[in-house]
Amino acid sequence: MLVPCAALRTLHRHRLRSELWSEESSRAKVYMFIYVGYHPQTYYWEFIILARKLFLNVVMLLSVSSLALGLLVLALFNVATILHMHRKPFRDDFLNAMESGVLVLSTMLLFVGLFLYEEGEDKSIFLTVGIVVSFFLFCIFYVGVILITAAEAR
């Protein structure tokens, strides 16, 4: 946890000195792999993604089949989706669209998956099949989009 915070602090210092995108700063180039794919105003976005993943791992470790934790993760995905769609952090519009799609899919699948906690009628088989089919259709769609985009780039 301390290493990412130290790296973010270092990046912030380099940005304040206008060294991040400067050709002259060799120290800032060491961290270029972290921020090069993002807009200059969202150089820190990799750390937002890291925090989201860390939070998800903490929730998974603490989870004891609790609906409340599932709702907390759903809230996290909603916030992450809204932030991503608002900031559009990547320089490449295609990457922004792909990340937005994955976040929306994750939010939708989690939302539907939360219905598996419902007591009463046994709908779990239908929900599970629906979740799996949705996931595979989405994967097929995105592979198609990637292939079409790659073909157009040639």
Side-chain angles (χ1 to χ4, degrees):
M1 187 70 184
L2 293 177
V3 173
C5 289
L8 179 59
R9 185 170 180 260
T10 303
L11 276 181
H12 185 66
R13 268 191 275 127
H14 285 301
R15 182 176 182 270
L16 289 176
R17 294 184 205 140
S18 299
E19 295 176 345
L20 283 186
W21 285 270
S22 170
E23 293 294 323
E24 298 140 13
S25 176
S26 61
R27 280 197 241 164
K29 285 183 181 179
V30 171
Y31 299 100
M32 188 176 272
F33 72 96
I34 295 174
Y35 65 86
V36 74
Y38 299 102
H39 290 292
Q41 65 271 20
T42 55
Y43 68 94
Y44 56 85
W45 202 261
E46 193 65 39
F47 297 98
I48 299 280
I49 294 171
L50 181 65
R52 184 180 76 215
K53 290 177 181 180
L54 180 67
F55 183 75
L56 284 173
N57 283 322
V58 167
V59 167
M60 285 190 325
L61 289 173
L62 297 177
S63 141
V64 188
S65 69
S66 171
L67 180 60
L69 289 175
L71 291 172
L72 190 60
V73 172
L74 183 62
L76 171 73
F77 273 118
N78 281 324
V79 168
T81 304
I82 290 167
L83 280 175
H84 183 83
M85 289 181 169
H86 175 71
R87 295 300 303 220
K88 294 184 175 134
F90 294 109
R91 288 181 179 202
D92 186 3
D93 290 335
F94 178 71
L95 289 177
N96 281 320
M98 293 295 281
E99 182 76 8
S100 295
V102 168
L103 286 169
V104 167
L105 175 69
S106 299
T107 303
M108 289 177 11
L109 290 178
L110 180 61
F111 176 74
V112 172
L114 287 174
F115 285 103
L116 293 172
Y117 281 101
E118 185 179 322
E119 299 285 328
E121 296 180 36
D122 191 29
K123 300 176 188 174
S124 62
I125 298 294
F126 297 113
L127 287 173
T128 304
V129 169
I131 289 170
V132 171
V133 168
S134 298
F135 175 75
F136 281 115
L137 288 175
F138 194 78
C139 288
I140 290 168
F141 171 75
Y142 268 97
V143 167
V145 168
I146 290 170
L147 292 174
I148 289 170
T149 304
E152 289 174 354
R154 291 183 199 178

